[in-house]
Amino acid sequence: MLEGSAWGTALDEEQQYLYIESRNEEDQTIFIARLNLKNLDLESLKADISWWDKLVGVKSNQLYFVKYLDQSDPTQQSFFSLDLESGVKTELEHLPEFSSPARHPEVYEHGSDYFDTVSKFLSLELPVSCEYLEWQNKIIISYYLRSANGFDRYLLLLENGEKVLKVKQDEEMKGFSSGAFFVFNNQLIFIKDRNEVCVYTG
């Protein structure tokens, strides 16, 4: 379990680590957790970062952040890296380019032909957009259903046409939010209830 609610992730392909930025909104504290995707150990890391710093990437044991300098103007930014071994922060003029080693789903916009096909496949009237990915002999769909106070998000995994996993991933969401899951090294990775990191190995 995470110490707060997940806000973002960064994937280290070489080391096979998933870094997760989580936040506690009550006291405005921010945490960095690291999940070892080889043995699924989850650990909390010490990091000198503030509420206005956002994790955007990782390379060679360095985490990269955007710092928002003016809370009323998100274009006012600076950048820095954090060395995970020494804890040293280095100010940067710009961020390096990051390429995602993971496979991410397609977003099917509400009312599009692909969206309508998924709705008919599920035999459901979906109220907002959905996400879809074909992975080997599997199909993964993230979809929403109306609840009393918003939308509940579900994750469905089919293998050879058979349901092998169905999870209520989030409750009472205000609307569609992309990035429900991704696939890396034959692992389906998603976060449930914003604080539980889940890994399904196919």
Side-chain angles (χ1 to χ4, degrees):
M1 298 284 286
L2 301 173
E3 295 184 66
S5 297
W7 279 50
T9 60
L11 185 60
D12 185 334
E13 179 179 17
E14 182 179 351
Q15 300 294 328
Q16 294 191 37
Y17 285 135
L18 177 67
Y19 293 91
I20 305 137
E21 172 195 331
S22 61
R23 296 173 179 244
N24 185 325
E25 296 191 55
E26 291 184 3
D27 59 7
Q28 290 201 332
T29 50
I30 181 170
F31 311 92
I32 298 295
R34 178 169 64 188
L35 177 66
N36 186 325
L37 293 173
K38 291 175 283 190
N39 58 24
L40 301 184
D41 283 344
L42 182 68
E43 61 178 324
S44 294
L45 304 178
K46 292 183 178 179
D48 179 20
I49 48 180
S50 76
W51 186 256
W52 305 110
D53 301 336
K54 178 173 178 52
L55 176 66
V56 292
V58 58
K59 277 189 177 183
S60 303
N61 212 42
Q62 300 275 334
L63 294 183
Y64 291 85
F65 294 84
V66 170
K67 176 182 284 292
Y68 292 96
L69 305 174
D70 184 343
Q71 288 75 59
S72 61
D73 183 0
T75 65
Q76 299 299 311
Q77 304 173 353
S78 65
F79 313 105
F80 68 91
S81 64
L82 175 67
D83 188 289
L84 292 172
E85 292 184 358
S86 66
V88 172
K89 293 168 68 173
T90 303
E91 299 296 325
L92 305 171
E93 291 187 8
H94 55 80
L95 293 170
E97 291 187 5
F98 303 106
S99 58
S100 175
R103 293 189 60 195
H104 296 272
E106 295 286 339
V107 175
Y108 292 165
E109 298 292 345
H110 186 273
S112 68
D113 290 343
Y114 286 127
F115 173 88
D116 291 342
T117 299
V118 171
S119 296
K120 291 176 182 176
F121 175 74
L122 296 173
S123 298
L124 295 169
E125 289 194 21
L126 304 182
V128 294
S129 302
C130 62
E131 293 181 282
Y132 180 95
L133 179 67
E134 293 186 10
W135 163 41
Q136 298 175 349
N137 59 339
K138 304 172 183 66
I139 293 174
I140 312 166
I141 303 171
S142 169
Y143 64 94
Y144 298 69
L145 296 177
R146 293 189 186 278
S147 64
N149 296 302
F151 305 96
D152 293 343
R153 177 161 65 178
Y154 293 84
L155 189 69
L156 176 66
L157 172 63
L158 303 171
E159 186 170 354
N160 294 319
E162 299 293 326
K163 181 174 70 176
V164 296
L165 181 70
K166 181 182 177 182
V167 177
K168 182 187 281 190
Q169 190 175 355
D170 295 285
E171 294 184 332
E172 299 182 2
M173 298 182 68
K174 295 180 180 179
F176 174 78
S177 177
S178 63
F181 66 90
F182 62 86
V183 171
F184 173 70
N185 274 5
N186 292 323
Q187 293 172 308
L188 168 61
I189 302 170
F190 61 97
I191 295 175
K192 181 178 180 291
D193 296 326
R194 297 200 67 186
N195 65 356
E196 182 181 349
V197 186
C198 303
V199 179
Y200 174 88
T201 301

